Every structure is written in C-alpha cells, then in structure tokens.
Amino acid sequence: MLHLYLLEKEKLLMTAKEYLSELYAMETMLECQRERYRECIDCATSTTIPINQVKVQSSKSDNGRIEKYMTMAADIEQDINQAESDYYNYKYKLMKLIQGMHNTHYMQILFKVYIQFKSVYQASKEMDLSYSYVVALHKKALKAFEDMYADKMIECEVQNRAAQ
C-alpha cells in the first residue's frame, strides 16, 4: 500500500493511453519472438553451407548446429507460450475494464483503438461519426478511463517497476 501512496504522491502514474497501449506492445513483442523462432527453425533445417566454410566436414558438426538451433527454438517456444498466455490474460482484463465504462461510445472507441488496434480515423468510419468528433470522444474516453481505473493503472505501474 505504501508503494501505491508513493506513486500517487510522485505522480508516476501511467496515463490511460499508456496503460491501454501495453497490449499493442505485448503483441509486438510476441511477433518478434515468433520471428526469432522461425529463424531458429530455418537455421536448423537449412541445407546450405555457409560461405566461409570451405572444408568438407562430417555430419557431426551439422548435428551440433541443428541441436543448437533446435534447443534455442524450444526455449523461444516456451517464452512464446508464456507471452501468449500473458497477452490473452491482459487482453481479457482490458476488455472487461472497457466494458465496465458507462458510455457506449467510449467503449466502442477504446475497444476499436486499443483491442482491435485500429486508428482513430478507421474507428470514426466504422462508427459512422465525424473524425473530429471521434478524436474529441477518444480524449474524453481516455480521461473517463483514467478517472474510473486509476487504481488499476497504479497497480500496473508498481508491477512494471518491480519487474525492472
């Protein structure tokens, strides 16, 4: 509880936009991990010989290479599984928070921008509202989210700081 008090006092509280944008950051990290996984699999299954290797070598070194990259891929796969679990748990949590808002337009804009990763412009077209109105609505929705869930954002800030 002391940590929460200190965060409020020092104004280290993250904004609603930062809090909601964590999901996109998690998605980006997952994509990076998936790409690393594919690269490891490609390296393990590659049949080409590196340019700097002129000598003919036995398959033992190939097995070492294959084993090395397959082990790395297995480790990355475990990380991906954990990251996916964290991602879907956080996504579900955000969806529940957004659904808890009392204004349907606020729910729509926050859902489209922070859960579906659409731009405010795309959201305005889908909502059949003017872009300038949706920009203003987005700002109001973020403010309402911040007011409603400040305690959740403080909790997230404490967890992020503890993880560092």
Side-chain angles (χ1 to χ4, degrees):
M1 221 28 155
L2 179 62
H3 291 293
L4 299 179
Y5 174 74
L6 290 174
L7 282 173
E8 286 179 310
K9 192 164 180 136
E10 295 175 20
K11 302 213 186 292
L12 296 176
L13 178 65
M14 63 177 36
T15 66
K17 189 172 187 173
E18 291 168 335
Y19 182 76
L20 292 165
S21 295
E22 288 286 314
L23 188 65
Y24 186 74
M26 292 171 86
E27 169 95 5
T28 303
M29 289 304 297
L30 260 172
E31 269 312 304
C32 290
Q33 287 179 314
R34 288 181 186 124
E35 182 61 31
R36 282 184 45 225
Y37 175 79
R38 285 188 293 272
E39 287 171 0
C40 285
I41 296 296
D42 287 348
C43 287
T45 58
S46 172
T47 57
T48 60
I49 299 172
I51 294 173
N52 63 353
Q53 240 181 12
V54 177
K55 295 189 247 176
V56 176
Q57 295 189 0
S58 68
S59 62
K60 184 178 181 186
S61 69
D62 263 2
N63 287 340
R65 178 181 58 87
I66 291 170
E67 184 179 321
K68 172 185 163 188
Y69 285 111
M70 290 308 286
T71 301
M72 286 173 57
D75 290 343
I76 293 168
E77 188 175 29
Q78 285 181 337
D79 292 344
I80 289 171
N81 290 338
Q82 182 59 53
E84 282 177 341
S85 176
D86 294 344
Y87 171 82
Y88 287 113
N89 288 336
Y90 193 70
K91 185 174 186 173
Y92 178 75
K93 176 183 175 181
L94 286 184
M95 288 170 65
K96 292 304 256 179
L97 293 176
I98 289 170
Q99 289 170 355
M101 306 215 37
H102 302 295
N103 183 313
T104 55
H105 280 146
Y106 290 177
M107 285 188 282
Q108 281 183 304
I109 188 67
L110 294 179
F111 184 81
K112 289 180 182 305
V113 173
Y114 298 103
I115 303 297
Q116 296 179 330
F117 309 129
K118 296 181 178 179
S119 68
V120 175
Y121 179 77
Q122 288 173 309
S124 71
K125 293 298 178 196
E126 289 181 14
M127 294 169 71
D128 200 28
L129 299 169
S130 75
Y131 174 70
S132 57
Y133 177 72
V134 174
V135 167
L137 187 68
H138 179 242
K139 287 179 186 177
K140 289 178 185 177
L142 288 173
K143 176 71 173 121
F145 187 93
E146 224 168 75
D147 293 344
M148 195 168 192
Y149 298 117
D151 58 327
K152 300 282 185 199
M153 293 187 300
I154 291 171
E155 186 180 309
C156 184
E157 182 75 14
V158 169
Q159 289 172 355
N160 286 347
R161 290 183 179 278
Q164 292 175 352

